[in-house]
Amino acid sequence: MPAERLGFRRPMGPAGARDRVLVLPSVVCAGLVAERLESDVAVAVPHQHGCLQLGDDLVHSADVLAGLGANPNVAATVVVSLGCETLQGRRLAESIAAGGRPAELVVIQSVGGTAAATAAGEALVEQLYTRHGGRARESVPASDLLLGLDAGDEPLADAIAAEAARRRVGVVRAGSSRGPEVHPELAAAGAQVIVSLVPEEQAPVGFALCPVIAVAADGDLHAALTDDFDVVPGPRAVAAVAREILDHAGRAFDGEPTCAERRGSREFVLRRLAMTL
Amino acid sequence: MGELSGYRRSDGRWGVRNHVVVLPVRVAAAAAARAAVRGLPGAVVCEHDWNGASDDPDRDTVIRTLAGVAANPNVVRAIVVGVGGRDEEVPDLAVRLGGDVEYLTLAELRGTARAAEAVRPRVEEALRLARGQQREPMPLDALSVGLECGGSDALSGLTANPALGVASDRLVAAGATTILSEVPELVGAEQSLARRAVSPEVGRRIVELIAAFETDVRTLGVDVRGAQPTPGNIEGGLTTIEEKSLGAAKKAGDAPVSGVLAYGERPAVRGLHIMDTPGHDIESVVALAAGGCQLVAFTTGRGSPTGSPLLPVLKICTNSRTFRRLSDDIDLDAGVVLTGSETIASMGDRIYEALLRTAQGEPTSAERRGNREFALRRVARRSAPRSLVRVGA
């Protein structure tokens, strides 16, 4: 059992399991520019939000997006704003920067449209990565790892938490729900690696910012989708399965690609709490 | 200009584009869909974030919308990729709506990699089918045009929207269909629209539609003014939602209102309709696509670059300043109405002609750029997630 992990050290807080510039659109309309900025060093998370949201729905989206900019897997953030959106990109970039994380802003309506915003964004990605990313992995304490647990209240979830505690690995657990919409919330809470206990009727879903260890349940669907799962528990005791999951999460932290990363499942689902206007 | 050409579908409908669409039913099928079209120009994936929960209160709306999208007349063939189980509701309904649809699942094909391998030759086959089809003379009354606005400003109601209204009236007079969207931006305009209804029943439904929206907003327990008008609208000189609405309704010209449509519903008759869509432009344009529109006219003051994977979206700017700044993202400048070089009527004629040229195949700025935004509306109220629990270390 390794007492140390290999991660990307950050100037503050725990180390990262991945080392990317986050390209974060503040609104659905900025999605194309964000996608065009994706590269070997930058990951974009186009989404359907940011326009005409209200109340707790708006607050939730803004909080989660800002939290992503502080995730240790993120070296720096480029916020792409349209300009007229409800979830103002300027405020989003300011709130990430206020937390001590590097963040820059491109506003499509100000710089002169898609082409100009793409060019400006490319320059910012390169500049931020040069300044804040691209260093080698270093030895970091195992306690730097914060595991995000996308699970219900099944015994395996408790066994994972117990095994993590034994290894001095932190765990952050989702509250009331599970599924891909929980992944950005766990990442906003600082998780670098996510373990997803996938419900029987669902298929595994990867996440753009963190490696996701997909753990199968019983049933025909997951039996058919074995190739898309990292861990298939079968009839083994939960403690043994929990050990395998923690080993796997450790290796994923150190850089081993997960099934989702290998098959290009790098989704971004943000929870919607109310209708848009 | 009365000549038009398009792609005739087997059920008698007409497309103005010939898209091959790969449509994941759930987000878990998106990776297979993307992998299947990699390196195949001409095929498009409609990506969205629905996770397919069977107890999702928005499930029926999502299924209907995705099926309507797959059956849009601009789609020569849709290859629907599900996980398994009830996902088949999407292709089943799409076929009933007249779509040419193939359906594959991750469960049957045993995972993402094999599903992508199985989808790919079907995409190639659909692309061959598309290339083999020719445009034929198309009746103008087969055209259905969405009337949309995004990033409105104080000039929207004075330039681009009334000019689009002129174009809409010409289309309706020629027997075509136009669909006015975005109910939140009709608040305050319901009585004037209801007076134009073809029957008292339609008039009553217009008033009910807008009243239902106001009730929904009250149920949310939040002040609508927190989101409408938007920060961009306010910076653009709009002060209230009513002011925004009276400008927005001008996109529908003076024609009689023939019907009221649910989100993504297809009209039963021709003429001007009102559809229940939100002011969120992308959710609204997706509903217009699901409702069978082949084309969208989109007015903008602040400047929106957005488009659609299914429909050409013709962008019309309310002011010359934004048009100059974002000229690559916008097609027409209606700001010239203010300088007197065009009247509302002559600008309306220019929009009408540009819409017909677009229908003929001329690409819009959004098509040239590759904008293909896609979003599904959700209306169910959900409670905020309980705070995350941090344990250990």
Side-chain angles (χ1 to χ4, degrees), chain A residues 98-175:
Chain A
R101 295 289 180 162
E104 297 286 346
L105 173 72
V106 184
V107 184
I108 297 170
Q109 286 168 345
S110 305
V111 299
T114 301
T118 306
E122 276 168 359
L124 285 174
V125 167
E126 195 180 314
Q127 183 191 321
L128 284 170
Y129 188 74
T130 307
R131 196 175 305 158
H132 303 284
R135 288 180 200 94
R137 288 184 185 267
E138 296 173 60
S139 278
V140 299
S143 60
D144 262 23
L145 170 54
L146 180 63
L147 204 60
L149 191 49
D150 161 24
D153 53 5
E154 54 265 65
L156 180 54
D158 293 334
I160 292 168
E163 179 62 22
R166 218 172 56 74
R167 301 185 188 204
R168 303 192 186 289
V169 166
V171 173
V172 58
R173 285 180 80 155

Side-chain angles (χ1 to χ4, degrees), chain A residues 3-4 10 12 25 38 40 46 71 83 129 186 201 206 230 242 264 270:
Chain A
E4 295 199 316
R10 303 294 174 211
M12 51 186 284
E38 197 155 64
D40 290 344
N71 184 282
Y129 188 74
L186 294 169
E201 75 285 2
D230 299 273
L270 194 55

Side-chain angles (χ1 to χ4, degrees), chain B residues 296-329:
Chain B
V296 169
F298 186 124
T299 65
T300 181
R302 309 297 296 167
S304 168
T306 58
S308 160
L310 302 148
L311 314 179
V313 176
L314 186 80
K315 232 72 64 62
I316 305 143
C317 201
T318 70
N319 69 89
S320 302
R321 191 162 146 256
T322 302
F323 180 75
R324 278 193 299 272
R325 195 188 309 145
L326 301 177
S327 55
D328 287 351
D329 291 311

Side-chain angles (χ1 to χ4, degrees), chain A residues 8-149:
Chain A
F8 298 98
R9 283 190 193 275
R10 303 294 174 211
M12 51 186 284
R18 299 291 180 269
D19 185 43
R20 299 272 162 74
V21 172
L22 168 62
V23 182
L24 183 61
S26 53
V27 64
V28 56
C29 310
L32 179 73
V33 171
E35 259 174 56
R36 298 252 157 108
L37 296 180
E38 197 155 64
S39 68
D40 290 344
V41 302
V43 58
V45 291
H47 59 79
Q48 312 190 349
H49 300 248
C51 182
L52 294 171
Q53 293 177 267
L54 265 181
D56 60 354
D57 184 48
L58 175 63
V59 171
H60 176 259
S61 292
D63 285 353
V64 172
L65 294 184
L68 296 178
N71 184 282
N73 292 353
V74 173
T77 302
V78 175
V79 174
V80 185
S81 159
L82 178 59
C84 57
E85 69 271 13
T86 313
L87 201 167
Q88 281 280 289
R90 182 169 301 279
R91 225 173 283 165
L92 184 56
E94 283 167 2
S95 108
I96 294 169
R101 295 289 180 162
E104 297 286 346
L105 173 72
V106 184
V107 184
I108 297 170
Q109 286 168 345
S110 305
V111 299
T114 301
T118 306
E122 276 168 359
L124 285 174
V125 167
E126 195 180 314
Q127 183 191 321
L128 284 170
Y129 188 74
T130 307
R131 196 175 305 158
H132 303 284
R135 288 180 200 94
R137 288 184 185 267
E138 296 173 60
S139 278
V140 299
S143 60
D144 262 23
L145 170 54
L146 180 63
L147 204 60
L149 191 49

